[in-house]
């Protein structure tokens, strides 16, 4: 009886290891789905259908994204040709965690033009926004004009 219990625990442990090492983990593309905030530039909303929204200065632009996790470094391509950006944007992609990623612009290809090195080379750091977190989003920026307690 004792050997059966040990065998069950061993089988469960092996199954857990196989699950962790395989498809039970979310892919980087799955982790990307949602809203991402950048303190100095556009916010990005990635959808499961491959569409992406770039939100900057009150404007929302819709495009498509592709994530190439096989390349080294990993690449993200944003197709924004149907917006006033009118270009395909190429980035080096690095995810630090489920809630942090870095995009580094590498190339830009305007519609009808050749692919050129990007003039912008600074890294763009993004943090994932949890819509259920009261410390993130619009509530984070609220301020009271009048103090509730007199000094």
């Amino acid at each position: 009886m004792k050997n059966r219990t040990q065998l069950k625990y061993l089988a469960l442990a092996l199954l857990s290891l196989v699950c962790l090492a395989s498809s039970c983990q979310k892919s980087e593309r799955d982790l990307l789905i949602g809203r991402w905030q950048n303190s100095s530039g556009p916010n990005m909303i990635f959808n499961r259908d491959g569409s992406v929204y770039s939100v900057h200065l009150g404007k929302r632009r819709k495009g498509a994204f592709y994530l190439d996790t096989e390349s080294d470094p990993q690449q993200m391509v944003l197709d924004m040709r149907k917006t006033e950006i009118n270009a395909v944007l190429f980035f080096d992609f690095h995810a630090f965690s489920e809630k942090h990623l870095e995009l580094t612009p590498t190339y830009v290809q305007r519609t009808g033009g050749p692919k050129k090195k990007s003039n912008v080379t600074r890294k763009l750091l993004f943090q994932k926004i949890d819509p259920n977190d009261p410390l993130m989003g619009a509530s984070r920026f609220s301020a009271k004009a009048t103090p509730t307690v007199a000094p």
Side-chain angles (χ1 to χ4, degrees):
M1 188 75 159
K2 195 175 191 180
N3 286 340
R4 261 192 190 174
T5 305
Q6 288 176 343
L7 187 59
K8 285 182 184 178
Y9 283 123
L10 180 61
L12 184 61
L14 286 173
L15 181 63
S16 297
L17 286 173
V18 169
C19 186
L20 284 174
S22 67
S23 62
C24 289
Q25 291 182 334
K26 284 187 173 181
S27 70
E28 290 197 354
R29 190 180 198 299
D30 289 337
L31 293 174
L32 191 59
I33 305 305
R35 186 180 194 113
W36 293 83
Q37 180 180 33
N38 177 320
S39 62
S40 63
N43 290 341
M44 307 296 283
I45 303 169
F46 295 95
N47 297 308
R48 291 194 191 288
D49 65 358
S51 63
V52 62
Y53 289 93
S54 171
V55 183
H56 187 59
L57 300 175
K59 287 189 173 185
R60 181 177 250 191
R61 300 164 183 94
K62 183 179 181 182
F65 78 94
Y66 172 73
L67 185 61
D68 180 6
T69 57
E70 300 296 318
S71 62
D72 186 29
Q74 295 179 356
Q75 297 288 305
M76 177 181 285
V77 179
L78 297 179
D79 184 350
M80 305 300 281
R81 290 178 288 185
K82 294 181 180 178
T83 70
E84 65 270 10
I85 296 172
N86 197 26
V88 177
L89 310 172
F90 298 83
F91 298 89
D92 285 345
F93 170 84
H94 178 67
F96 294 102
S97 71
E98 291 184 10
K99 294 185 176 187
H100 298 92
L101 67 88
E102 172 186 275
L103 294 177
T104 306
T106 54
Y107 295 97
V108 175
Q109 185 172 13
R110 301 265 177 220
T111 302
K115 186 174 175 180
K116 295 181 180 178
K117 268 203 164 307
S118 175
N119 293 334
V120 179
T121 56
R122 69 179 174 87
K123 298 174 188 295
L124 304 170
L125 301 175
F126 288 86
Q127 180 177 1
K128 192 167 197 175
I129 298 174
D130 179 358
N132 299 318
D133 185 351
L135 299 177
M136 295 301 289
S139 63
R140 186 177 87 168
F141 299 106
S142 66
K144 294 181 180 176
T146 308
T148 56
V149 179

